[in-house]
Amino acid sequence: MARRLLSLLLLGPYVVAGSSSSASATVSSSASSTPVTSSAASSSATSSATSSSASSASTSSYSATSYLATETGPLTLPISEYTFSPYPTPSLAPDPPVFPATDPLYPPPVSPDPMVVPDFAPAWAAAYTKAKAMISGWTIEQKVNVSTGVFWEGGVCVGNTPPIEDYPGLCLQDSPLGVRDTDLVTSFPAGITAASTWNRALIRARGVAIGEENRGKGVNVALGPMMNMGRVAQGGRNWEGFGADPYLSGEAAYETILGMQSGGVQATAKHYINNEQEWKRTQYSSNVDDRTEHEIYAQPFMRAVMAGVSSVMCSYNLINDTYACNNNKTLNDLMKREFGFQGYIQSDWSATMATLSAVAGLDMTMPGDITFGSGTSYFGGNLTAFVMNDTISMERLDDMATRIVAAWYYMHQDENYPNVTLNSFNPYDPINSEVNVQSNHYEIVREIGAAGTVLLKNERGVLPLDKPKSIVLVGSDAAPPTSGPNEYTDQGGDPSGILAMGWGSGTDNFTYLISPYEAIQQRARLDQTSVFWNFDDWNLDAAGNDVIGMEVAIVFVNSDSGEGYITVDGNAGDRQNLTAWHQGDELILAVAAQNNNTIVVTNSVGPLILEPWVEHPNVTAIVWANLGGNEAGNAVMDILYGNWNPSGRLPYTIAKSPMDYPAQLVLGGTAADILSINYTEGLYIDYRWFDYMNITPRYEFGFGLSYTTFEYSNLAVTEVYPADYAQTSLIDNWANGGATPIAEGSTTALWLHMPAYQVTFNVKNTGSVYGGEIPQLYLHHDASVGEPPSVLKGFTNVEVAPGQTAPVSITLSRYDLSVWDVVRQGWAKPEGTISFSIGASSRDFRLTGTIPA
Ligand code: BGC
């Protein structure tokens, strides 16, 4: 039912009826909001030599007079001049055991303290050899076809490339949390929930299961993970990603990709880069300085490359006044040169802005047409014309096709890969239910749902619940949605029940959805507890009356957001405010006024302002349940009853006031404006800003309670010496203050990322129940270095029985200790003493030490 609307959505603004009188959803095509037009070959040249990318390293070797085709349009800015070299596969000799030569299908096992750095270069090299052989006999048109999608709705997947001789073409499919637009799939907890676990093993396991489901449906390329930063608390798509810290996001991206690709599917690191708000996403320039770009926004993408990611998706926005998919600096220089990325860069859907984007580093245009249904393409015939008239070199076209075909070989998709068994555009096509890929993945969903839940408050030890005589559940967020789990296309409407994912392309269709109401009823049967409920958010008097005399009152509230092509209740993707929906604050206060054991459960896409009730003496507990996927109700029940001792930690700061955050949405602008979003806070995003400005948050980054307590002791730090390692001259250079050389793969060089120091300590469980702790390592540099006061550079998870002590180890690489030197354009060890803290959050330090000089 819901998906029947999909094709209508693309025709223009469309209103989906909300179930609540207070809300409505407006949907428009993401592509049609891109007011760009194109003409095919004509004789005038439009390009000029401007690059506003602040530190572009490129120089011109380009003659504007040779153009035979043109791209014009109100938003097509002059494109940069480009140099181009097809980047060779790095040829560092693998050095086992630290650097095992790794096939993406068989990554090293997850470790809470990674000691190996997988080397994918040999696997890429083998794949390149095969790809070059395959394309060697192909015509220009055939090579162009590898790079050009078959247009929107031209195939059954959201993106499709055509078959060419023995190469079957590709099926590209959303989303970061499951297989979109089909049946009999799992709805995994969202990225933000996975990040809240701070647990590498669980994040990897989620990735593996997502990879397996994609492979099972015949998807070649999964369009995730999403790794934009939660720079702005209201950012509509933050929930798809991994929070507001680059290290946490990077590690989550790394484990997710290792997992997904071991499941068989090509992973896509998106949206590259600086796509941190939804408002006017095709019409803003994120203006970011070079150091901030390297240390904050590019870090998760760098880790994606180190995980051997197959594909990267460039984003809709501009970076320093050049469109992301047309950006020589970020595509060629940063991604392909500096990170040594061997796979291919695909555009976000209709984010390609020019045929010459191919020279800036774009390898594939998706879904192929300039705007959905336009019938024109910047690649296709235009790319063929540009190659035939030597505007774009044959060498570059070969490189594009090679990268794409190589990724297919690299992932062994030439070996018995399943057929595509989904149809994104026809929910009634029986092919959608031909293959059931769910397996036992509900178990990992439930576990991550619990492990990704953060206990923020627990007064008088009211949690875990112990066979209460009576419970009352208040709020629609406790309930099943009134018209089934998929009541809106792409989940794009005001939720009438539990919020278990946000809205937009980052969703899938629920096969089933367990609400808290169902899960708690099951448990109540065992405990013989009386259960009452009131799911009406709007009648505050009734809510207050219904909780009188109950042993426990649990209020469920939520806050939703999503992708900007759908507007829900006035929220055009981004959230309009940081307040719980459906007057959640008033509902909590109405309950707390009548019941002195009021427990609040939130399902929120991001931070909320909790001040109206957080200190209310009757609000005894706060359970931050994030977005749990199809087992959301079971997961929150596991936390409430102590089946899972809470170990989740906040992946962002919860502030006391929205204005305490360092960055806000940039709104307004006319239809033709390009907004400037200046990342003036630089390195000081999220907790880094609160620390620097001495602002007290309500709950700090990294915070979360447990049903037990932990004590830290016995800190030691030792240098890790490479046994027999060839790159010692680079290591010595670094130790003496030298920057990493300007070279291909310089930032992902294995020597830079191998363990350099090992920090060890003990964690003792000083409480009475078994539990998991998340020790975190924050570095502190001398003030002259210009780093924020504390920066996360390590974390691990450890589970300890009551009274027991567990040894813990966290390693640091030379990369972890380095800062980006904008003058030397390399990573360098900063001057001065580097000290560090081991803590239970970004503000709860338990041990401190110094990195040996
Ligand atoms: C989104 C991408 C998504 C693509 C295909 C775009 O609008 O930004 O994240 O993968 O559509 O659905």
Side-chain angles (χ1 to χ4, degrees):
M1 164 63 188
R3 282 166 294 158
R4 198 172 36 180
L5 298 176
L6 191 63
S7 52
L8 293 172
L9 307 182
L10 303 161
L11 299 176
Y14 190 84
V15 176
V16 178
S19 66
S20 150
S21 55
S22 73
S24 67
T26 315
V27 186
S28 63
S29 158
S30 53
S32 64
S33 67
T34 309
V36 176
T37 56
S38 161
S39 56
S42 83
S43 58
S44 68
T46 55
S47 181
S48 70
T50 352
S51 172
S52 39
S53 187
S55 52
S56 172
S58 67
T59 51
S60 168
S61 62
Y62 211 83
S63 156
T65 51
S66 60
Y67 296 179
L68 267 188
T70 180
E71 309 92 7
T72 56
L75 298 180
T76 305
L77 296 184
I79 43 187
S80 317
E81 292 197 357
Y82 312 101
T83 49
F84 164 70
S85 73
Y87 300 109
T89 305
S91 53
L92 258 187
D95 191 350
V98 179
F99 309 131
T102 304
D103 183 297
L105 261 43
Y106 307 100
V110 71
S111 154
D113 170 32
M115 292 291 278
V116 299
V117 184
D119 181 6
F120 292 98
W124 277 117
Y128 267 59
T129 304
K130 291 181 194 167
K132 282 182 177 151
M134 174 172 266
I135 71 157
S136 65
W138 286 2
T139 63
I140 292 179
E141 284 84 354
Q142 285 175 313
K143 291 173 193 168
V144 164
N145 282 347
V146 180
S147 293
T148 310
V150 299
F151 293 6
W152 181 241
E153 293 199 47
V156 292
C157 302
V158 300
N160 310 266
T161 60
I164 298 149
E165 296 182 352
D166 291 339
Y167 172 73
L170 299 176
C171 160
L172 300 88
Q173 189 72 1
D174 293 304
S175 73
L177 59 64
V179 188
R180 184 185 176 202
D181 288 332
T182 190
D183 300 333
L184 303 182
V185 295
T186 301
S187 296
F188 290 89
I192 201 67
T193 315
S196 299
T197 68
W198 296 59
N199 182 314
R200 288 185 165 89
L202 291 177
I203 296 171
R204 174 83 71 95
R206 173 179 175 273
V208 172
I210 291 174
E212 287 170 354
E213 296 207 3
N214 275 284
R215 182 182 202 277
K217 289 278 185 185
V219 173
N220 298 97
V221 185
L223 303 176
M226 134 67 192
M227 50 189 78
N228 296 117
M229 301 293 305
R231 171 178 180 265
V232 181
Q234 286 107 309
R237 300 184 74 176
N238 289 357
W239 58 274
E240 292 184 50
F242 300 122
D245 176 81
Y247 183 85
L248 177 63
S249 295
E251 297 315 290
Y254 178 79
E255 294 297 351
T256 301
I257 291 164
L258 288 179
M260 286 173 71
Q261 297 203 148
S262 73
V265 75
Q266 298 183 33
T268 306
K270 74 182 188 184
H271 308 89
Y272 187 67
I273 190 173
N274 307 127
N275 184 185
E276 267 86 33
Q277 73 170 41
E278 280 300 279
W279 177 250
K280 283 199 180 289
R281 66 177 175 176
T282 61
Q283 285 178 251
Y284 64 75
S285 174
S286 298
N287 302 322
V288 190
D289 70 84
D290 190 36
R291 180 167 171 184
T292 300
E293 192 73 306
H294 275 86
E295 294 188 19
I296 307 281
Y297 298 94
Q299 151 100 10
F301 291 93
M302 188 274 293
R303 290 297 280 158
V305 173
M306 294 196 68
V309 76
S310 299
S311 184
V312 168
M313 182 192 289
C314 51
S315 54
Y316 284 116
N317 54 288
L318 305 88
I319 303 129
N320 298 328
D321 289 335
T322 300
Y323 271 108
C325 293
N326 198 29
N327 199 308
N328 182 53
K329 173 66 189 171
T330 53
L331 303 186
N332 274 336
D333 192 50
L334 187 54
M335 180 54 69
K336 290 183 175 174
R337 199 265 308 159
E338 203 183 298
F339 295 173
F341 175 53
Q342 301 292 299
Y344 59 95
I345 298 176
Q346 58 171 297
S347 71
D348 200 341
W349 267 232
S350 300
T352 304
M353 296 293 166
T355 304
L356 282 169
S357 296
V359 196
L362 182 68
D363 300 299
M364 178 190 280
T365 189
M366 273 293 145
D369 29 7
I370 289 176
T371 55
F372 293 3
S374 67
T376 54
S377 181
Y378 285 124
F379 283 13
N382 273 326
L383 181 55
T384 303
F386 272 54
V387 175
M388 292 187 73
N389 68 23
D390 285 339
T391 304
I392 293 175
S393 69
M394 183 65 95
E395 200 188 17
R396 172 64 187 128
L397 180 64
D398 283 347
D399 179 52
M400 294 162 71
T402 302
R403 284 171 176 274
I404 296 164
V405 174
W408 176 74
Y409 276 123
Y410 166 78
M411 288 299 301
H412 302 280
Q413 294 187 345
D414 58 322
E415 299 162 19
N416 295 322
Y417 205 73
N419 292 331
V420 180
T421 47
L422 61 84
N423 186 341
S424 307
F425 306 106
N426 180 3
Y428 302 110
D429 188 335
I431 201 169
N432 282 312
S433 48
E434 209 166 88
V435 178
N436 178 356
V437 292
Q438 295 169 99
S439 182
N440 60 347
H441 296 158
Y442 68 90
E443 291 173 2
I444 186 78
V445 174
R446 182 169 176 170
E447 197 172 339
I448 293 182
T453 293
V454 188
L455 181 65
L456 294 179
K457 181 176 180 182
N458 190 16
E459 299 289 309
R460 310 196 302 262
V462 294
L463 291 178
L465 299 175
D466 182 19
K467 293 188 170 46
K469 290 197 173 56
S470 57
I471 295 183
V472 54
L473 309 177
V474 179
S476 61
D477 188 64
T482 48
S483 48
N486 301 304
E487 46 185 1
Y488 308 106
T489 301
D490 295 339
Q491 314 296 340
D494 179 24
S496 66
I498 178 164
L499 182 73
M501 63 176 79
W503 74 72
S505 68
T507 57
D508 69 359
N509 295 331
F510 289 106
T511 303
Y512 67 90
L513 171 57
I514 306 289
S515 69
Y517 156 77
E518 290 153 297
I520 290 169
Q521 289 251 83
Q522 295 276 338
R523 173 63 193 233
R525 183 174 58 198
L526 300 180
D527 292 349
Q528 309 205 334
T529 299
S530 299
V531 182
F532 303 83
W533 55 84
N534 177 346
F535 299 144
D536 183 350
D537 300 321
W538 306 104
N539 189 337
L540 300 178
D541 292 342
N545 287 335
D546 286 350
V547 303
I548 293 171
M550 297 291 164
E551 189 173 328
V552 185
I554 313 182
V555 193
F556 291 80
V557 298
N558 65 32
S559 172
D560 201 358
S561 73
E563 198 174 339
Y565 68 93
I566 304 175
T567 294
V568 180
D569 199 12
N571 298 274
D574 305 311
R575 286 189 287 169
Q576 290 179 299
N577 53 50
L578 298 181
T579 311
W581 283 32
H582 292 196
Q583 59 175 11
D585 290 342
E586 286 76 10
L587 191 65
I588 292 165
L589 287 169
V591 171
Q594 304 295 344
N595 188 298
N596 68 2
N597 189 12
T598 298
I599 293 169
V600 176
V601 175
T602 63
N603 288 116
S604 179
V605 287
L608 291 172
I609 302 302
L610 312 177
E611 296 310 299
W613 45 266
V614 67
E615 285 185 346
H616 193 298
N618 289 348
V619 173
T620 48
I622 304 173
V623 176
W624 197 258
N626 291 302
L627 304 171
N630 56 12
E631 292 282 330
N634 280 330
V636 80
M637 187 275 285
D638 286 339
I639 291 290
L640 291 169
Y641 286 87
N643 298 341
W644 183 280
N645 186 351
S647 55
R649 301 290 180 261
L650 286 177
Y652 45 67
T653 299
I654 296 182
K656 292 186 172 177
S657 157
M659 296 317 291
D660 288 347
Y661 289 106
Q664 305 292 333
L665 295 171
V666 174
L667 300 171
T670 68
D673 282 345
I674 305 268
L675 301 178
S676 289
I677 302 187
N678 299 322
Y679 285 36
T680 48
E681 74 288 348
L683 302 174
Y684 297 86
I685 76 165
D686 201 79
Y687 66 94
R688 299 154 175 247
W689 175 258
F690 286 76
D691 291 348
Y692 178 61
M693 298 296 286
N694 216 359
I695 301 168
T696 305
R698 172 50 64 184
Y699 293 114
E700 73 271 16
F701 174 83
F703 176 77
L705 298 171
S706 164
Y707 296 148
T708 188
T709 48
F710 298 97
E711 216 172 73
Y712 291 59
S713 64
N714 234 9
L715 179 69
V717 52
T718 49
E719 206 165 342
V720 182
Y721 290 100
D724 168 25
Y725 186 57
Q727 304 283 319
T728 38
S729 61
L730 287 166
I731 291 177
D732 291 345
N733 174 56
W734 181 89
N736 294 328
T740 53
I742 298 179
E744 288 178 19
S746 53
T747 287
T748 50
L750 301 179
W751 70 266
L752 187 60
H753 292 270
M754 67 194 289
Y757 295 93
Q758 183 172 31
V759 177
T760 54
F761 49 96
N762 290 338
V763 171
K764 181 176 183 189
N765 183 339
T766 47
S768 55
V769 287
Y770 185 88
E773 173 70 327
I774 311 284
Q776 303 161 35
L777 186 153
Y778 294 85
L779 287 188
H780 317 293
H781 289 281
D782 278 3
S784 61
V785 177
E787 285 290 299
S790 304
V791 285
L792 181 74
K793 290 291 177 180
F795 65 84
T796 188
N797 61 285
V798 56
E799 292 179 15
V800 202
Q804 299 295 303
T805 299
V808 179
S809 156
I810 295 178
T811 52
L812 291 165
S813 67
R814 290 174 182 80
Y815 175 85
D816 294 328
L817 301 178
S818 300
V819 298
W820 179 251
D821 186 318
V822 294
V823 175
R824 293 185 287 174
Q825 288 290 293
W827 295 98
K829 182 183 175 191
E831 304 235 314
T833 309
I834 305 175
S835 61
F836 66 90
S837 302
I838 302 289
S841 84
S842 63
R843 290 193 166 214
D844 181 5
F845 297 149
R846 308 289 180 85
L847 303 168
T848 54
T850 303
I851 303 294

